[in-house]
Amino acid sequence: MSLHHFYTNLNPTILFYKCALPNMASAAFIYFYVIVDGIFVGRYLGTDALAAMNLVLPFIMISFALADMIAIGSSVQIAINLGKGKIEKARRIFSFCIVLIFGISCLMGLLGFFLAKPLSAFMGADENVQELSAEYMQIFALFAPFTMLAFAMDNYLRICGKTFYSMFVNIVIALSNIILDWLFIVVFGWGLFSAALATCIGMLLGTVLSFIPFIIKDLVLKFKKPMISFKILKNIIYNGSSEFFSNISSSLYTIIANAILLKISGNEALAAFSIILYLSSFAFALILSMCDAMQPAISYNYGYKNTPRIKMIFKRMLFASCALGLFLFISVYFYNAYIVSFFNKDDNTEFALLAQNALMLFSFSFLLNWLSKLSASFFTSLDKPMLSLAISITQSLILPFIFIQILSHYFGLNGVWIASFASEICMVFIACALLYKTFKDLNS
């Protein structure tokens, strides 16, 4: 089946199943091992280690956001050029972006290694948490060139229709990380650094596996002389900027929330917040993986000027996101005690009660937060990065920052937990207004 027929003529429901489900399964495995990471750390190393990991993860995710920006921005440009039949141009964009991501990752690795401890000290952590967070972050810094490429290659495999192979790679990453976590932490009794080491080794393996099809298979994307115009580079950054600012906005908000939690309650509240972050990251990963998987199809049909097809694809994405949000709300609201028990070393009652209350209050945000993520990704697919950027920053940073300052002042810890839901109520109205305008423009 040709790529053109696959994107433009295949039954939209079958297209959704073939593209979205494998990618969502990949994301589920990837973020399952992230959660397992937290379980091993919380269960065997304690709340201080869990707090330390949560303290530096936002900084690590900012570096990954740079790779994501290039990968997603270039994916839109590549898919649009493939839709227009400009295959050679698409290949040059692909090759250039691999080199660019590698260069950026080397720079971020150097910065991360030397700034690891100063960053945790700046956040106000005690000496023990500073030492733990530094050793965790420095392992990621050493592996940065390979871990950041693993994030990017997933996008290019999907463009070439290798969705099931992409899923296989992510499953290998997840399983290897879980096995290594168990081996390093439980069997060898190593410290927090070993959780980072397990993750990085798994992602290194994923990078190697991701490159193999581009070397030995006859894919539509091939390695060519990595040269593109400044205009294309500007468009790549422009298109990927919404995802980048969305990611760093989330990280910046996490940094702000961490500082507030350390001030209000200390390490246990920070550890409880880490459980929230694991669950919310898992939810966002499923929604964004679905959107990323369908992005080439939407961009291709946008380049082909097939508006009815775009609408059919979007409806299926909307229904799936809504169903997922409802499922997550029910699971977290009614089973919060069971979830917390996985992360609780020595069955600490005080920590258990604090974390259960946090999860119960935060769970309401799952009912609404999917819409803004879906909308932002949809706008990126249509080459409308400014709309995507506006909605991403507003959802991830501006509104949560406003509400966490106000609500934590009046309600203390509970204000931190409900700030996300309050901001999502406002985001529903913003997202709906922008979607209405966008579909109106498509029809004209």
Side-chain angles (χ1 to χ4, degrees), residues 334-393:
F334 290 104
Y335 298 100
N336 54 75
Y338 184 69
I339 293 168
V340 171
S341 67
F342 283 103
F343 298 85
N344 193 2
K345 184 182 180 182
D346 301 325
D347 296 322
N348 185 327
T349 305
E350 185 180 349
F351 172 68
L353 293 174
L354 189 154
Q356 287 167 29
N357 179 63
L359 287 182
M360 185 181 68
L361 293 175
F362 183 84
S363 65
F364 289 95
S365 66
F366 290 125
L367 293 171
L368 303 175
N369 59 17
W370 56 269
L371 181 60
S372 297
K373 295 294 182 186
L374 172 63
S375 302
S377 180
F378 182 64
F379 296 143
T380 299
S381 301
L382 297 180
D383 202 17
K384 298 180 184 295
M386 289 310 297
L387 284 180
S388 182
L389 178 60
I391 210 168
S392 296
I393 293 180

Side-chain angles (χ1 to χ4, degrees), residues 8-24:
T8 61
N9 295 320
L10 189 68
N11 181 285
T13 303
I14 297 175
L15 176 69
F16 180 84
Y17 288 149
K18 286 195 170 187
C19 291
L21 291 187
N23 205 42
M24 290 176 76

Side-chain angles (χ1 to χ4, degrees), residues 68-82:
D68 229 18
M69 176 182 72
I70 303 301
I72 292 172
S74 62
S75 294
V76 172
Q77 293 297 316
I78 289 167
I80 289 173
N81 278 286
L82 289 174

Side-chain angles (χ1 to χ4, degrees), residues 6 20 30 46 87 122 164 196 199 224 238 272 276-277 279 283 417-418:
F6 183 71
I30 285 288
I87 297 173
F122 174 75
F164 284 96
T199 300
K224 295 288 182 179
Y238 188 61
I276 287 177
L277 291 176
L279 296 176
W417 310 140
I418 62 174

Side-chain angles (χ1 to χ4, degrees), residues 1 45 47 100 173 184 241 304 374-375 418:
M1 183 188 298
L45 301 179
T47 54
L100 180 60
I173 293 173
F184 293 164
S241 61
Y304 192 58
L374 172 63
S375 302
I418 62 174

Side-chain angles (χ1 to χ4, degrees), residues 281-293:
S281 296
F282 181 75
F284 288 157
L286 290 178
I287 292 168
L288 290 175
S289 63
M290 175 194 69
C291 294
D292 288 348

